[in-house]
Amino acid sequence: MRFELTEEQSLVQSTAREFAKRAVEPKAAELDRSGRWPAEIVTEMAELGFLGMAIPAEHGGAGLDHVSYAIVVEEMSRACASTGVIMSVNNSLFCDPLEKFGTPEQKERVLAPTASGQMLGAFGLTEPASGSDARMMKTVADAQGDGGFILNGAKNWITCGPHAEHIIVFAISTQDAVKPKHTAMLVRRGTPGFSVAAPDHKLGIHAAHSATIFFENVRVAKEDILGEVGAGFKVAMSTLDGGRIGIAAQAIGIAQAAFEKSVAYSKERHSFGAPICDHQAIQFMLADMATEIEAARLLVLRAARMKDLGQKHTAESSMAKLFASEMATRVTHKAIQIHGGYGYSVEYPIERHYRDARITEIYEGTSEIQRIVVANALFR
Ligand code: CAA
């Protein structure tokens, strides 16, 4: 396995780092406090090609690889975790499955404008009563005999839902108490029967709006079916194989930000006649933080590289997300400890990193689900 970045990946990283430092980081505290949607940042990300990074240029993307994508999500999240997940959802949860399962017509009509950032996409799998047990959703799609469906149900926690032009919705198209069959479909906002609730109130990632979306007798035309009828669960699962790389990269970015601030603070703050970085108690915390961040990064780069090589990477993505997300919680917890009372204060960014880190253990599959996926790979 190659450990160093290619020249192109290094260039992408420095471009993302410069952009994040200039245009994203200075706004992160305000975005967290106000919960404002960062429209101007989304526009700039589109201009930089960050909203469809691994999508070929002929389908509106930047034509880069998934390693570059993971690097950029990390850089964005290091500046602002909300920005990181907005980017990740558009790339991994919308553009990626359209590139993989979409028809040529869908690629031209929907993928190209979304990968280039003229419009956004979202992913509707989770429901009020089914998160981890995604298969047992309640949303139904009734076949109309012309290849189209009528959709009824609700999806919740839909990141970017209030701003997305299209949502990939998963619905049961063949009822079965044990093994229902699902179909994935594209639904455009504004379609009669489609409505979006007010954005959710959350612990962190305040600027990455999520919401519940309702479908009441929504007509879905044959042209909007994504992949094969009845094979939607596979579309969802293989999409999450890629999405989990993005969330793991987001967790690393959050942890890296908290770590860097902890190193800087430990040099400035004095106790017992010395900067606190001279105390072994602090050094050991920082050493553990640095080691864990690096371990998580290698797991993410491995999973991304495997995706680029077209290799099956289900377990590797889950390992990366499991380790990186729990690592981010540990690292941001230690960062608060190093900052003491200032870490607990909303005047400092550390408590934001701590709150933002927590979601990475939950969305795109909880840590418990990642362990199930890894265990399945061991025993199946
Ligand atoms: N790729 C392709 N197909 C896959 C697959 C994969 N990675 N994993 C499973 N499948 C297929 C299986 O082969 C199986 O196919 P058959 O029916 O033909 O045999 C089918 O899918 C069902 O597989 P399982 O029996 O393993 O399914 P399960 O019901 O036991 O569930 C699970 C597996 C891993 C627990 C899954 O339900 C899961 O991942 N749950 C978590 C859901 C999740 O991550 N939600 C996140 C929502 S998105 C989000 O959070 C976005 C955001 O806000 C940012």
Side-chain angles (χ1 to χ4, degrees), residues 89-142:
V89 165
N90 207 64
N91 277 272
S92 283
L93 298 190
F94 193 85
C95 292
D96 196 49
L98 262 173
E99 175 61 26
K100 193 164 172 188
F101 299 101
T103 62
E105 187 275 330
Q106 287 170 344
K107 289 182 189 178
E108 199 181 322
R109 173 170 53 95
V110 183
L111 176 58
T114 314
S116 62
Q118 292 164 46
M119 50 176 70
L120 293 178
F123 182 81
L125 179 66
T126 302
E127 298 191 357
S130 63
S132 292
D133 191 3
R135 200 148 52 101
M136 301 317 280
M137 62 183 64
K138 296 270 186 293
T139 297
V140 288
D142 291 316

Side-chain angles (χ1 to χ4, degrees), residues 55-226:
I55 301 300
E58 69 262 32
H59 299 147
L64 294 164
D65 57 11
H66 291 91
V67 167
S68 300
Y69 160 64
I71 291 168
V72 176
V73 173
E74 179 187 331
E75 293 302 329
M76 292 302 121
S77 307
R78 183 173 160 204
C80 168
S82 292
T83 302
V85 74
I86 291 167
M87 183 195 156
S88 182
V89 165
N90 207 64
N91 277 272
S92 283
L93 298 190
F94 193 85
C95 292
D96 196 49
L98 262 173
E99 175 61 26
K100 193 164 172 188
F101 299 101
T103 62
E105 187 275 330
Q106 287 170 344
K107 289 182 189 178
E108 199 181 322
R109 173 170 53 95
V110 183
L111 176 58
T114 314
S116 62
Q118 292 164 46
M119 50 176 70
L120 293 178
F123 182 81
L125 179 66
T126 302
E127 298 191 357
S130 63
S132 292
D133 191 3
R135 200 148 52 101
M136 301 317 280
M137 62 183 64
K138 296 270 186 293
T139 297
V140 288
D142 291 316
Q144 295 303 291
D146 59 356
F149 287 86
I150 296 281
L151 186 65
N152 277 288
K155 299 286 174 181
N156 69 343
W157 303 119
I158 306 308
T159 307
C160 300
H163 305 278
E165 190 62 28
H166 292 93
I167 304 196
I168 297 175
V169 181
F170 299 88
I172 292 184
S173 48
T174 307
Q175 294 285 2
D176 184 293
V178 183
K179 225 169 173 194
K181 280 199 159 56
H182 309 78
T183 298
M185 48 197 76
L186 288 160
V187 180
R188 190 162 193 173
R189 74 182 302 107
T191 306
F194 173 103
S195 59
V196 186
D200 303 315
H201 293 286
K202 299 174 289 199
L203 179 68
I205 55 163
H206 290 157
H209 294 173
S210 63
T212 301
I213 300 185
F214 301 96
F215 309 94
E216 209 183 321
N217 293 322
V218 170
R219 281 193 165 275
V220 180
K222 184 181 175 195
E223 296 70 40
D224 285 319
I225 303 306
L226 184 61

Side-chain angles (χ1 to χ4, degrees), residues 126 132 135 159 179 234 237 241 244 314 363-365:
T126 302
S132 292
R135 200 148 52 101
T159 307
K179 225 169 173 194
K234 285 191 170 70
M237 292 298 109
D241 287 349
R244 289 166 182 164
T314 302
Y363 58 19
E364 301 207 25

